[in-house]
Amino acid sequence: MHLRHLRLLDFRSWPLLELELEPGVTTLVGRNGHGKTNVLEAVGVLATLRSHRVAAEAPMIRTGAETAMIAALAHNAGRELTVELALNSGRPNRARLNTSPCRRLGDILGVVQSVLFAPEDLALVRGEPAERRRLLDELLVQRRPAHGGDLAEYSSVLRQRSALLKSASGVLRRGRGEEAEAALDTLDVWDGRLAQLGARIVAGRVLLLEELRPLVVDAYRGLAPESRPADLAYRFRVGAAPEESELADPELVEAVLLAELGRRRQDEIDRGMSLVGPHRDDVVLSLGDEPAKGFASHGETWSFALALRLGSLELFRADGIEPVLLLDDVFAELDRHRRAALAAAATGVEQVLVTAAVGEDVPDGLRGVRHDVVMTGEGAGRHSDITVSRRPAGRHDEIAGRHDEVMDDDQNDGDDDTAPSTREVHR
Protein backbone atom coordinates (compact mmCIF):
# COMPACT_ATOMS: atom_id res chain seq x y z
CA MET A 1 0.00 0.00 0.00
CA HIS A 2 1.02 3.65 -0.26
CA LEU A 3 -0.23 7.11 0.57
CA ARG A 4 -1.07 9.55 -2.19
CA HIS A 5 -1.69 12.60 -0.04
CA LEU A 6 -1.24 13.57 3.59
CA ARG A 7 -2.88 16.54 5.26
CA LEU A 8 -2.12 17.79 8.78
CA LEU A 9 -4.14 20.55 10.41
CA ASP A 10 -2.98 21.93 13.78
CA PHE A 11 -0.98 18.77 14.39
CA ARG A 12 1.97 19.58 16.66
CA SER A 13 4.14 22.17 14.88
CA TRP A 14 2.17 22.06 11.62
CA PRO A 15 -0.72 24.55 11.34
CA LEU A 16 -1.28 23.13 7.86
CA LEU A 17 0.60 20.61 5.75
CA GLU A 18 -0.50 19.43 2.31
CA LEU A 19 1.99 16.80 1.17
CA GLU A 20 1.69 14.96 -2.13
CA LEU A 21 3.26 11.50 -1.97
CA GLU A 22 4.15 8.76 -4.41
CA PRO A 23 5.34 5.17 -4.28
CA GLY A 24 9.06 5.02 -3.65
CA VAL A 25 11.14 7.05 -1.23
CA THR A 26 10.31 10.45 0.24
CA THR A 27 12.91 12.10 2.45
CA LEU A 28 12.23 14.93 4.91
CA VAL A 29 15.42 16.78 5.80
CA GLY A 30 15.66 19.36 8.55
CA ARG A 31 17.30 20.28 11.81
CA ASN A 32 16.22 18.55 15.00
CA GLY A 33 13.09 20.09 16.48
CA HIS A 34 11.86 21.53 13.16
CA GLY A 35 8.92 19.13 12.78
CA LYS A 36 9.95 16.37 10.39
CA THR A 37 9.34 13.57 12.90
CA ASN A 38 5.83 14.94 13.46
CA VAL A 39 4.92 13.93 9.91
CA LEU A 40 5.94 10.30 10.46
CA GLU A 41 4.20 10.30 13.82
CA ALA A 42 0.95 11.35 12.14
CA VAL A 43 1.13 8.43 9.69
CA GLY A 44 1.74 6.06 12.59
CA VAL A 45 -1.26 7.43 14.47
CA LEU A 46 -3.50 6.75 11.47
CA ALA A 47 -2.18 3.18 11.35
CA THR A 48 -2.40 2.29 15.05
CA LEU A 49 -4.54 5.02 16.71
CA ARG A 50 -1.67 5.85 19.02
CA SER A 51 1.55 7.81 18.96
CA HIS A 52 4.95 6.19 19.38
CA ARG A 53 6.03 9.25 21.37
CA VAL A 54 3.25 10.14 23.82
CA ALA A 55 0.29 8.42 25.50
CA ALA A 56 -2.14 11.35 25.43
CA GLU A 57 -3.63 13.48 22.67
CA ALA A 58 -2.86 16.91 24.15
CA PRO A 59 0.82 17.12 23.03
CA MET A 60 -0.24 16.35 19.45
CA ILE A 61 -2.65 19.32 19.28
CA ARG A 62 -1.06 22.60 18.28
CA THR A 63 -0.95 25.20 21.06
CA GLY A 64 -4.07 27.35 20.94
CA ALA A 65 -6.13 24.81 18.96
CA GLU A 66 -8.77 22.44 20.31
CA THR A 67 -8.53 19.86 17.52
CA ALA A 68 -5.76 18.37 15.43
CA MET A 69 -6.68 16.65 12.19
CA ILE A 70 -4.78 13.98 10.25
CA ALA A 71 -6.10 12.95 6.83
CA ALA A 72 -4.69 10.74 4.12
CA LEU A 73 -5.58 9.36 0.73
CA ALA A 74 -4.40 5.75 0.79
CA HIS A 75 -4.03 3.33 -2.08
CA ASN A 76 -4.72 -0.04 -0.48
CA ALA A 77 -5.39 -3.35 -2.25
CA GLY A 78 -6.34 -1.66 -5.50
CA ARG A 79 -8.69 0.85 -3.88
CA GLU A 80 -8.21 4.49 -2.93
CA LEU A 81 -9.63 5.30 0.48
CA THR A 82 -9.82 8.59 2.34
CA VAL A 83 -9.26 8.34 6.07
CA GLU A 84 -9.48 11.16 8.62
CA LEU A 85 -8.84 11.30 12.33
CA ALA A 86 -9.61 14.29 14.56
CA LEU A 87 -7.81 14.42 17.91
CA ASN A 88 -9.88 16.51 20.30
CA SER A 89 -8.99 18.16 23.57
CA GLY A 90 -11.46 17.16 26.28
CA ARG A 91 -13.85 15.40 23.88
CA PRO A 92 -13.96 12.01 22.18
CA ASN A 93 -11.80 11.69 19.10
CA ARG A 94 -13.59 11.36 15.75
CA ALA A 95 -12.90 9.46 12.55
CA ARG A 96 -14.20 9.42 8.99
CA LEU A 97 -13.78 6.87 6.24
CA ASN A 98 -14.49 8.07 2.70
CA THR A 99 -16.15 11.17 4.25
CA SER A 100 -18.63 9.04 6.26
CA PRO A 101 -18.48 9.36 10.06
CA CYS A 102 -17.33 6.25 11.90
CA ARG A 103 -19.13 5.10 15.03
CA ARG A 104 -15.90 3.64 16.37
CA LEU A 105 -12.33 4.81 15.89
CA GLY A 106 -11.34 1.23 15.18
CA ASP A 107 -13.30 1.35 11.91
CA ILE A 108 -10.35 3.07 10.23
CA LEU A 109 -7.79 0.48 11.32
CA GLY A 110 -6.25 -1.36 8.39
CA VAL A 111 -6.66 1.48 5.89
CA VAL A 112 -3.12 2.69 6.63
CA GLN A 113 -0.52 0.12 7.66
CA SER A 114 2.98 1.04 8.68
CA VAL A 115 6.18 -0.12 10.33
CA LEU A 116 8.23 2.55 12.08
CA PHE A 117 11.87 2.38 13.14
CA ALA A 118 13.08 5.21 15.38
CA PRO A 119 15.80 5.81 17.98
CA GLU A 120 13.15 5.28 20.66
CA ASP A 121 13.10 1.62 19.59
CA LEU A 122 16.14 0.98 21.79
CA ALA A 123 13.54 0.89 24.60
CA LEU A 124 12.18 -2.31 23.06
CA VAL A 125 15.36 -3.98 24.28
CA ARG A 126 16.40 -1.85 27.25
CA GLY A 127 13.05 -0.60 28.46
CA GLU A 128 10.14 -1.84 30.52
CA PRO A 129 7.73 -4.68 29.56
CA ALA A 130 5.10 -2.18 28.39
CA GLU A 131 7.30 -1.33 25.40
CA ARG A 132 7.43 -4.94 24.23
CA ARG A 133 3.74 -5.56 24.90
CA ARG A 134 2.97 -2.49 22.81
CA LEU A 135 4.99 -3.88 19.90
CA LEU A 136 2.87 -7.04 19.78
CA ASP A 137 -0.40 -5.19 20.29
CA GLU A 138 0.30 -2.66 17.53
CA LEU A 139 1.11 -5.44 15.07
CA LEU A 140 -2.00 -7.35 16.08
CA VAL A 141 -4.26 -4.33 15.71
CA GLN A 142 -2.98 -3.60 12.21
CA ARG A 143 -3.38 -7.23 11.13
CA ARG A 144 -6.58 -7.91 13.08
CA PRO A 145 -8.41 -4.69 14.01
CA ALA A 146 -10.79 -6.54 16.36
CA HIS A 147 -7.84 -6.86 18.74
CA GLY A 148 -8.08 -3.10 19.25
CA GLY A 149 -11.62 -3.54 20.57
CA ASP A 150 -10.45 -6.22 23.01
CA LEU A 151 -7.66 -3.94 24.23
CA ALA A 152 -10.02 -0.99 24.69
CA GLU A 153 -12.56 -3.05 26.63
CA TYR A 154 -9.85 -4.73 28.70
CA SER A 155 -8.44 -1.31 29.60
CA SER A 156 -11.89 -0.18 30.72
CA VAL A 157 -12.48 -3.33 32.79
CA LEU A 158 -9.02 -2.99 34.36
CA ARG A 159 -9.66 0.62 35.40
CA GLN A 160 -13.04 -0.16 36.94
CA ARG A 161 -11.81 -3.29 38.71
CA SER A 162 -8.78 -1.45 40.08
CA ALA A 163 -11.02 1.39 41.28
CA LEU A 164 -13.21 -1.14 43.10
CA LEU A 165 -10.17 -2.73 44.75
CA LYS A 166 -8.84 0.64 45.83
CA SER A 167 -12.10 2.11 47.16
CA ALA A 168 -13.32 -1.08 48.83
CA SER A 169 -10.05 -2.41 50.20
CA GLY A 170 -10.98 -1.42 53.75
CA VAL A 171 -14.34 -3.15 53.57
CA LEU A 172 -12.88 -6.22 51.88
CA ARG A 173 -10.07 -6.52 54.42
CA ARG A 174 -12.59 -6.67 57.25
CA GLY A 175 -14.52 -9.27 55.23
CA ARG A 176 -17.73 -9.06 57.25
CA GLY A 177 -21.24 -7.84 56.70
CA GLU A 178 -23.48 -7.30 53.70
CA GLU A 179 -21.30 -4.51 52.33
CA ALA A 180 -18.30 -6.83 52.12
CA GLU A 181 -20.35 -9.58 50.49
CA ALA A 182 -21.68 -7.14 47.88
CA ALA A 183 -18.15 -5.92 47.13
CA LEU A 184 -16.91 -9.49 46.70
CA ASP A 185 -19.82 -10.37 44.41
CA THR A 186 -19.03 -7.33 42.26
CA LEU A 187 -15.37 -8.27 42.19
CA ASP A 188 -16.30 -11.77 40.99
CA VAL A 189 -18.13 -10.23 38.01
CA TRP A 190 -15.12 -8.09 37.08
CA ASP A 191 -12.80 -11.10 37.50
CA GLY A 192 -14.81 -13.06 34.97
CA ARG A 193 -14.74 -10.30 32.38
CA LEU A 194 -11.04 -9.57 32.91
CA ALA A 195 -10.17 -13.25 32.48
CA GLN A 196 -12.29 -13.58 29.32
CA LEU A 197 -10.82 -10.54 27.60
CA GLY A 198 -7.33 -11.18 28.94
CA ALA A 199 -7.37 -14.72 27.54
CA ARG A 200 -8.14 -13.43 24.04
CA ILE A 201 -5.35 -10.86 24.28
CA VAL A 202 -2.77 -13.39 25.52
CA ALA A 203 -3.73 -15.98 22.91
CA GLY A 204 -3.51 -13.38 20.15
CA ARG A 205 -0.08 -12.23 21.29
CA VAL A 206 1.29 -15.77 21.52
CA LEU A 207 0.03 -16.74 18.06
CA LEU A 208 1.59 -13.58 16.66
CA LEU A 209 4.87 -14.29 18.40
CA GLU A 210 5.00 -17.75 16.85
CA GLU A 211 4.98 -16.10 13.41
CA LEU A 212 7.24 -13.19 14.32
CA ARG A 213 9.97 -15.12 16.14
CA PRO A 214 11.68 -16.82 13.15
CA LEU A 215 11.57 -13.59 11.14
CA VAL A 216 13.29 -11.64 13.92
CA VAL A 217 15.84 -14.39 14.53
CA ASP A 218 16.77 -14.43 10.83
CA ALA A 219 16.95 -10.63 10.66
CA TYR A 220 19.21 -10.49 13.72
CA ARG A 221 21.51 -13.16 12.29
CA GLY A 222 21.96 -11.05 9.17
CA LEU A 223 22.58 -7.85 11.14
CA ALA A 224 24.96 -9.32 13.71
CA PRO A 225 26.40 -12.58 12.32
CA GLU A 226 29.17 -12.65 14.94
CA SER A 227 26.77 -12.22 17.87
CA ARG A 228 25.01 -14.85 19.96
CA PRO A 229 21.72 -16.16 18.51
CA ALA A 230 18.61 -14.13 19.32
CA ASP A 231 15.35 -15.50 20.67
CA LEU A 232 11.97 -14.24 21.92
CA ALA A 233 9.64 -15.83 24.49
CA TYR A 234 6.31 -14.81 25.99
CA ARG A 235 6.30 -14.46 29.78
CA PHE A 236 2.83 -15.16 31.16
CA ARG A 237 3.03 -13.87 34.70
CA VAL A 238 1.07 -16.36 36.76
CA GLY A 239 2.18 -18.69 39.52
CA ALA A 240 2.32 -21.88 37.45
CA ALA A 241 2.42 -20.79 33.83
CA PRO A 242 1.61 -23.33 31.10
CA GLU A 243 4.02 -23.87 28.24
CA GLU A 244 4.00 -21.03 25.71
CA SER A 245 2.44 -23.23 23.02
CA GLU A 246 -0.54 -23.90 25.32
CA LEU A 247 -1.22 -20.18 25.71
CA ALA A 248 -2.65 -20.07 22.18
CA ASP A 249 -5.80 -21.69 23.64
CA PRO A 250 -7.98 -18.87 25.04
CA GLU A 251 -10.17 -21.27 27.05
CA LEU A 252 -7.14 -22.66 28.87
CA VAL A 253 -5.74 -19.16 29.46
CA GLU A 254 -9.09 -17.96 30.82
CA ALA A 255 -9.17 -20.82 33.32
CA VAL A 256 -5.60 -20.12 34.41
CA LEU A 257 -6.34 -16.40 34.84
CA LEU A 258 -9.44 -17.11 36.94
CA ALA A 259 -7.45 -19.45 39.18
CA GLU A 260 -4.66 -16.88 39.55
CA LEU A 261 -7.14 -14.11 40.35
CA GLY A 262 -8.55 -16.29 43.12
CA ARG A 263 -5.09 -17.09 44.44
CA ARG A 264 -3.94 -13.46 44.42
CA ARG A 265 -7.18 -11.90 45.63
CA GLN A 266 -5.96 -11.06 49.12
CA ASP A 267 -2.76 -9.54 47.70
CA GLU A 268 -4.84 -7.37 45.35
CA ILE A 269 -7.15 -6.30 48.20
CA ASP A 270 -4.18 -5.41 50.41
CA ARG A 271 -2.51 -3.36 47.66
CA GLY A 272 -5.70 -1.97 46.12
CA MET A 273 -4.64 -2.76 42.55
CA SER A 274 -4.96 -5.42 39.84
CA LEU A 275 -1.93 -7.71 39.87
CA VAL A 276 -3.08 -10.35 37.39
CA GLY A 277 -3.66 -10.08 33.65
CA PRO A 278 -1.96 -9.46 30.30
CA HIS A 279 -1.09 -5.91 31.41
CA ARG A 280 1.59 -7.57 33.57
CA ASP A 281 3.10 -9.86 30.91
CA ASP A 282 6.38 -9.44 29.05
CA VAL A 283 8.24 -10.59 25.96
CA VAL A 284 11.69 -11.81 26.97
CA LEU A 285 14.40 -11.01 24.43
CA SER A 286 17.52 -13.10 24.79
CA LEU A 287 20.95 -13.50 23.26
CA GLY A 288 22.30 -16.96 23.80
CA ASP A 289 21.60 -17.88 27.40
CA GLU A 290 21.34 -14.31 28.67
CA PRO A 291 18.56 -11.72 28.55
CA ALA A 292 19.29 -8.95 26.07
CA LYS A 293 18.20 -6.35 28.61
CA GLY A 294 21.24 -5.60 30.72
CA PHE A 295 23.59 -7.93 28.84
CA ALA A 296 23.49 -6.76 25.21
CA SER A 297 26.20 -4.38 23.99
CA HIS A 298 25.21 -1.09 22.38
CA GLY A 299 25.65 -2.58 18.91
CA GLU A 300 23.69 -5.70 19.83
CA THR A 301 20.90 -3.55 21.23
CA TRP A 302 20.63 -1.61 17.96
CA SER A 303 20.70 -4.87 16.00
CA PHE A 304 17.92 -6.42 18.10
CA ALA A 305 15.74 -3.32 17.87
CA LEU A 306 16.22 -3.18 14.11
CA ALA A 307 15.59 -6.93 13.78
CA LEU A 308 12.24 -6.53 15.57
CA ARG A 309 11.16 -3.93 13.02
CA LEU A 310 12.50 -5.82 10.00
CA GLY A 311 10.75 -8.94 11.28
CA SER A 312 7.53 -6.92 11.57
CA LEU A 313 7.93 -5.76 7.98
CA GLU A 314 8.35 -9.34 6.77
CA LEU A 315 5.32 -10.38 8.80
CA PHE A 316 3.16 -7.96 6.83
CA ARG A 317 4.70 -9.14 3.59
CA ALA A 318 3.83 -12.72 4.47
CA ASP A 319 0.21 -11.51 4.57
CA GLY A 320 0.59 -10.03 1.09
CA ILE A 321 0.74 -6.47 2.48
CA GLU A 322 3.37 -3.81 1.77
CA PRO A 323 3.14 -1.40 4.71
CA VAL A 324 4.54 2.11 4.57
CA LEU A 325 8.03 1.96 6.08
CA LEU A 326 8.81 4.93 8.34
CA LEU A 327 12.48 5.55 9.14
CA ASP A 328 12.85 8.35 11.67
CA ASP A 329 16.36 9.80 11.85
CA VAL A 330 18.02 6.40 12.30
CA PHE A 331 20.79 6.33 9.69
CA ALA A 332 23.00 8.72 11.63
CA GLU A 333 22.87 6.30 14.59
CA LEU A 334 23.79 3.15 12.68
CA ASP A 335 27.20 1.86 11.72
CA ARG A 336 27.99 1.12 8.08
CA HIS A 337 26.97 -2.54 8.21
CA ARG A 338 23.58 -1.92 9.87
CA ARG A 339 22.93 1.10 7.66
CA ALA A 340 23.50 -1.00 4.55
CA ALA A 341 21.27 -3.80 5.87
CA LEU A 342 18.42 -1.38 6.58
CA ALA A 343 18.82 0.31 3.20
CA ALA A 344 18.74 -3.09 1.47
CA ALA A 345 15.55 -4.07 3.32
CA ALA A 346 13.92 -0.75 2.45
CA THR A 347 14.81 -0.84 -1.22
CA GLY A 348 12.02 -3.20 -2.18
CA VAL A 349 9.30 -1.55 -0.06
CA GLU A 350 6.47 0.11 -1.97
CA GLN A 351 6.68 3.38 -0.02
CA VAL A 352 9.33 4.62 2.39
CA LEU A 353 9.25 7.88 4.37
CA VAL A 354 12.64 8.91 5.77
CA THR A 355 13.66 11.76 8.05
CA ALA A 356 17.21 13.00 8.52
CA ALA A 357 18.93 16.02 10.03
CA VAL A 358 21.52 15.90 7.24
CA GLY A 359 20.63 14.65 3.80
CA GLU A 360 24.02 12.96 3.38
CA ASP A 361 23.17 10.58 6.26
CA VAL A 362 20.65 8.83 3.99
CA PRO A 363 22.14 6.16 1.70
CA ASP A 364 22.14 7.14 -1.97
CA GLY A 365 19.55 4.54 -2.92
CA LEU A 366 17.03 5.92 -0.42
CA ARG A 367 17.03 9.64 -1.08
CA GLY A 368 14.15 9.78 -3.56
CA VAL A 369 11.97 12.89 -3.45
CA ARG A 370 13.40 15.35 -0.94
CA HIS A 371 11.54 18.00 1.07
CA ASP A 372 13.44 20.47 3.26
CA VAL A 373 11.65 21.20 6.54
CA VAL A 374 12.29 24.39 8.54
CA MET A 375 10.82 26.13 11.55
CA THR A 376 9.65 29.66 10.79
CA GLY A 377 7.95 32.52 12.65
CA GLU A 378 8.42 33.87 16.15
CA GLY A 379 6.93 33.11 19.56
CA ALA A 380 3.48 31.51 19.47
CA GLY A 381 3.56 31.82 15.69
CA ARG A 382 6.52 29.47 15.22
CA HIS A 383 5.56 26.62 12.94
CA SER A 384 6.96 24.01 10.58
CA ASP A 385 7.05 24.57 6.87
CA ILE A 386 8.43 22.92 3.73
CA THR A 387 10.70 25.34 1.90
CA VAL A 388 12.18 23.27 -0.92
CA SER A 389 11.12 20.10 -2.70
CA ARG A 390 13.45 18.24 -5.03
CA ARG A 391 12.83 15.22 -7.22
CA PRO A 392 15.47 12.87 -8.61
CA ALA A 393 16.61 13.85 -12.07
CA GLY A 394 14.51 12.37 -14.84
CA ARG A 395 11.63 11.39 -12.58
CA HIS A 396 8.17 12.29 -13.83
CA ASP A 397 5.68 13.91 -11.50
CA GLU A 398 2.61 11.98 -10.52
CA ILE A 399 -0.37 14.02 -9.42
CA ALA A 400 -1.93 12.53 -6.32
CA GLY A 401 -5.60 13.11 -5.69
CA ARG A 402 -5.97 15.93 -3.24
CA HIS A 403 -8.23 15.73 -0.28
CA ASP A 404 -9.37 19.17 0.88
CA GLU A 405 -12.28 18.41 3.14
CA VAL A 406 -11.68 19.21 6.80
CA MET A 407 -13.65 17.14 9.25
CA ASP A 408 -16.52 19.04 10.87
CA ASP A 409 -17.31 17.53 14.24
CA ASP A 410 -20.55 19.50 14.49
CA GLN A 411 -21.97 17.44 11.61
CA ASN A 412 -20.91 14.17 13.14
CA ASP A 413 -24.32 13.45 14.63
CA GLY A 414 -24.16 9.73 13.95
CA ASP A 415 -21.09 9.23 16.11
CA ASP A 416 -21.12 7.32 19.35
CA ASP A 417 -20.11 9.78 22.07
CA THR A 418 -18.82 6.89 24.13
CA ALA A 419 -16.21 5.93 21.53
CA PRO A 420 -12.84 5.41 23.24
CA SER A 421 -10.09 7.93 22.79
CA THR A 422 -6.82 7.06 21.10
CA ARG A 423 -5.28 6.53 24.51
CA GLU A 424 -8.10 4.20 25.54
CA VAL A 425 -7.79 2.01 22.46
CA HIS A 426 -4.06 1.45 22.99
CA ARG A 427 -2.79 2.18 26.36
Side-chain angles (χ1 to χ4, degrees):
M1 68 150 295
H2 63 270
L3 302 181
R4 302 282 291 175
H5 185 77
L6 179 69
R7 163 181 264 208
L8 305 183
L9 180 65
D10 289 329
F11 183 84
R12 287 200 182 263
S13 59
W14 293 93
L16 178 64
L17 171 66
E18 300 277 5
L19 184 61
E20 302 291 346
L21 294 165
E22 311 172 358
V25 181
T26 298
T27 304
L28 303 175
V29 179
R31 295 171 58 187
N32 292 335
H34 280 211
K36 58 189 186 296
T37 293
N38 300 341
V39 179
L40 270 59
E41 178 186 24
V43 176
V45 171
L46 280 182
T48 65
L49 297 182
R50 66 169 300 278
S51 165
H52 73 286
R53 302 162 78 190
V54 294
E57 290 80 12
M60 293 186 281
I61 301 174
R62 183 167 167 78
T63 302
E66 295 184 355
T67 298
M69 202 270 285
I70 310 169
L73 180 60
H75 186 86
N76 190 330
R79 298 182 300 161
E80 286 203 334
L81 302 171
T82 301
V83 59
E84 301 175 342
L85 177 64
L87 307 175
N88 297 313
S89 178
R91 293 176 294 141
N93 298 327
R94 304 291 188 182
R96 285 181 186 263
L97 184 59
N98 288 340
T99 73
S100 297
C102 299
R103 289 188 59 83
R104 298 176 301 274
L105 292 183
D107 290 344
I108 67 173
L109 289 170
V111 176
V112 176
Q113 291 160 311
S114 69
V115 171
L116 181 144
F117 183 49
E120 291 89 344
D121 283 345
L122 291 180
L124 291 171
V125 184
R126 294 175 173 171
E128 298 304 312
E131 301 289 343
R132 294 176 285 278
R133 292 195 300 266
R134 188 178 298 118
L135 170 69
L136 295 186
D137 289 337
E138 286 183 353
L139 285 173
L140 271 170
V141 165
Q142 291 194 74
R143 297 177 80 211
R144 187 173 67 84
H147 186 77
D150 288 342
L151 287 170
E153 190 174 352
Y154 180 84
S155 180
S156 176
V157 168
L158 185 62
R159 285 196 304 274
Q160 294 178 74
R161 184 178 184 275
S162 297
L164 173 63
L165 285 167
K166 186 174 182 179
S167 64
S169 60
V171 174
L172 294 172
R173 278 198 300 269
R174 290 192 296 271
R176 295 180 180 178
E178 295 181 359
E179 188 179 0
E181 290 181 8
L184 289 171
D185 288 343
T186 304
L187 189 56
D188 285 340
V189 173
W190 288 119
D191 284 0
R193 192 62 182 141
L194 184 144
Q196 184 183 49
L197 290 165
R200 294 208 295 259
I201 292 169
V202 170
R205 289 174 178 173
V206 169
L207 287 170
L208 174 73
L209 191 58
E210 288 179 0
E211 297 180 74
L212 182 63
R213 181 186 291 111
L215 301 174
V216 174
V217 169
D218 286 347
Y220 185 83
R221 186 184 301 115
L223 290 165
E226 304 301 322
S227 178
R228 300 159 289 176
D231 199 8
L232 302 84
Y234 194 83
R235 177 177 289 171
F236 185 43
R237 297 189 62 181
V238 297
E243 295 294 324
E244 183 181 297
S245 59
E246 298 180 89
L247 299 178
D249 180 356
E251 291 186 2
L252 182 146
V253 176
E254 183 177 353
V256 172
L257 284 173
L258 283 171
E260 186 72 359
L261 286 165
R263 188 179 74 84
R264 298 292 303 275
R265 173 164 287 188
Q266 192 58 52
D267 290 342
E268 292 188 316
I269 291 171
D270 291 341
R271 297 181 61 180
M273 61 187 299
S274 294
L275 302 174
V276 178
H279 63 288
R280 307 275 297 178
D281 294 348
D282 195 3
V283 179
V284 179
L285 310 179
S286 59
L287 292 174
D289 296 327
E290 296 177 328
K293 182 178 179 178
F295 287 88
S297 68
H298 184 69
E300 289 173 328
T301 300
W302 269 110
S303 293
F304 216 140
L306 181 52
L308 287 167
R309 295 305 187 186
L310 293 179
S312 301
L313 176 64
E314 293 306 319
L315 190 66
F316 279 110
R317 285 175 158 175
D319 292 337
I321 297 168
E322 279 286 341
V324 179
L325 181 60
L326 309 173
L327 303 177
D328 183 25
D329 209 13
V330 294
F331 286 106
E333 302 288 342
L334 300 176
D335 62 23
R336 185 175 61 180
H337 174 67
R338 293 176 180 88
R339 183 184 298 192
L342 178 55
T347 299
V349 177
E350 185 174 352
Q351 187 173 55
V352 185
L353 304 184
V354 183
T355 67
V358 179
E360 287 69 27
D361 287 340
V362 182
D364 290 341
L366 283 180
R367 292 186 183 176
V369 178
R370 170 172 167 167
H371 303 286
D372 288 351
V373 177
V374 298
M375 187 71 72
T376 64
E378 299 292 337
R382 278 176 60 82
H383 64 276
S384 297
D385 196 7
I386 288 179
T387 58
V388 179
S389 298
R390 305 183 184 90
R391 297 178 182 273
R395 186 170 187 171
H396 296 289
D397 292 353
E398 294 183 23
I399 301 176
R402 297 184 64 86
H403 172 67
D404 296 319
E405 180 182 341
V406 177
M407 184 184 304
D408 182 357
D409 288 316
D410 293 336
Q411 297 178 3
N412 207 0
D413 295 333
D415 283 37
D416 178 3
D417 287 337
T418 63
S421 69
T422 303
R423 182 162 42 120
E424 289 171 332
V425 171
H426 297 289
R427 225 174 152 171

